[in-house]
Every structure is written in C-alpha cells, then in structure tokens.
Amino acid sequence: MSSTVFADFYAIIRERHSVKHYDAAHHLNEKEIIGLLEIASHAPSAWNLQHWRYLSIHSQAAKEKLLPIAYGQKQVVEASVVIAVLGDLEANRNAEDVFGSDVEAGLMTEDIKASLIDQINAAYGDSPAYAREEAIRNASLAAMQLMLAAKAKGLDSCPMGGFSADAFIEAFHIPSRYIPVMLIAIGKAAIPARASSRFPVGKTMVWNDFQKE
C-alpha cells in the first residue's frame, strides 16, 4: 500500500471532530447510508459475532421524535441521519450463522464449530454482565469505524451519549435483545467543530507495569 494512502488515512483520523451544527438542507439517500454502515461493519468483534445493530433515524418525523429524548440537542434534527448504534445482548445466537459459513467454505470442521459454539454459549450463559460488556465493547468498535467512514466520504459526525436510553427504547420499540450504546449524527457541517486538544501520549501511557511508575 502506498504511503499516500496511509497519509490520507492519518489525515482522516486527525481531521475528524465532533460537529454540533449541521446543514439541514444536506440529505443522504438510503444507498449512501447503507454504504457507510457496510464499511462500519468491517469492524472486528469477539468470535466474529458482530454485536452491532443499527437503527437509521432518517425521516424528519423520526428525528423530531428523537429530539426531546436526546435532551434537545439540535444536531439530531439538523444532521442528515442519526444512527443509533445498538449492542446485541444475545450475540451468541449469531454463532451458528457465523461458523456455518466457515464450515461451508472449508475454513473449519463441524467439530471445531460445535466446540466454539459451546464455548460461546457457556460464556453468555454464565454471566449477563459479560453479555452486556461485550455488546457495548464490540458495538463501540463499529461506531468508531462508522465515524471514520463518514469522514472519508467528506461528511461530519458527532457521537452522543446524552439521551434517555429508557425513553429511546420505548419510543423506537427496541427489542429487549438490544441495548442502546450511542447515537451518531452524520451530515455536512454548517459550523466547523470547535478545536480540541489531546493529552500527549506520555501522559496517557505506562510502560509495562503501573507499579514501576
């Protein structure tokens, strides 16, 4: 891969900021939204269970319904789309499909598939807390990838944790299998994001062992 491609990727990371104000006249069609989510879904996940589910809040009526749930944050109604990233609390149920295709492709045997599924079901059966942690952790990987994909397409985004999860679940009829992880507004910036600084890595990393610091 050329150094130019790497340079572009690093630019995308550095130039992505959380935009609060969007051009309400800018629209994304269904094909464009699906394209972004296809890229987001290349994120890694534990056992490849792909714990993410997306609710695309695209119509103006749906955005208006979301607005009070998101405590009046205007990016909800101004952005082209708001993607609700959900985590799958029962991602172990995906294992048959995931590993079944691997068996068909000759990438694993039926015995290995059965062993993996037993491991996964044991992990999920032993601890609801584990299922919740995995749902949030893995869906968050897809959420970050979605924001980078948006920036690569010349769009802006803003992750939002400020919303009432209970009200969201009720208003948008979210099945109990899924947990809301975050909302991501995506569109064209009307006002550039406020510049933000980052701590130097020397302040945020430790070599080998905290006790030796």
Side-chain angles (χ1 to χ4, degrees):
M1 188 175 292
S2 73
S3 59
T4 300
V5 173
F6 278 117
D8 290 345
F9 174 71
Y10 294 144
I12 288 167
I13 291 174
R14 291 191 177 100
E15 292 170 9
R16 188 219 59 80
H17 300 289
S18 294
V19 167
K20 304 293 186 182
H21 303 280
Y22 291 85
D23 177 0
H26 183 269
H27 299 286
L28 292 172
N29 60 41
E30 290 183 7
K31 183 177 179 181
E32 290 171 315
I33 294 168
I34 290 170
L36 289 172
L37 295 177
E38 285 176 342
I39 296 171
S41 297
H42 282 278
S45 60
W47 281 306
N48 194 28
L49 294 179
Q50 301 165 60
H51 306 64
W52 42 80
R53 291 296 182 274
Y54 311 109
L55 176 62
S56 175
I57 301 170
H58 188 220
S59 73
Q60 199 59 33
K63 294 178 198 173
E64 294 288 349
K65 182 167 72 169
L66 179 60
L67 183 61
I69 295 170
Y71 308 129
Q73 297 179 83
K74 288 296 184 182
Q75 59 263 41
V76 164
V77 290
E78 294 174 349
S80 304
V81 65
V82 178
I83 302 295
V85 180
L86 313 175
D88 188 354
L89 296 169
E90 300 174 18
N92 56 308
R93 292 168 57 183
N94 299 336
E96 183 66 42
D97 288 339
V98 169
F99 300 129
S101 60
D102 285 344
V103 170
E104 289 176 8
L107 299 175
M108 71 171 58
T109 65
E110 283 285 356
D111 286 346
I112 292 175
K113 170 190 159 187
S115 176
L116 286 170
I117 290 176
D118 285 347
Q119 290 175 35
I120 292 165
N121 286 334
Y124 275 77
D126 288 345
S127 174
Y130 173 84
R132 179 183 174 87
E133 289 169 3
E134 287 298 290
I136 295 171
R137 183 178 5 256
N138 290 281
S140 295
L141 292 172
M144 187 69 251
Q145 194 136 309
L146 174 58
M147 289 183 278
L148 293 176
K151 192 62 184 175
K153 293 284 189 180
L155 299 167
D156 297 287
S157 64
C158 181
M160 291 178 284
F163 63 98
S164 169
D166 290 341
F168 177 80
I169 289 168
E170 181 178 358
F172 290 92
H173 310 102
I174 307 301
S176 60
R177 177 173 175 172
Y178 304 113
I179 179 173
V181 174
M182 71 182 76
L183 306 174
I184 300 178
I186 299 174
K188 282 282 190 182
I191 300 174
R194 178 179 62 84
S196 58
S197 62
R198 294 292 185 272
F199 293 130
V201 173
K203 188 173 181 177
T204 59
M205 73 163 289
V206 171
W207 290 107
N208 301 318
D209 190 328
F210 271 87
Q211 195 172 23
K212 292 181 171 59
E213 286 299 298

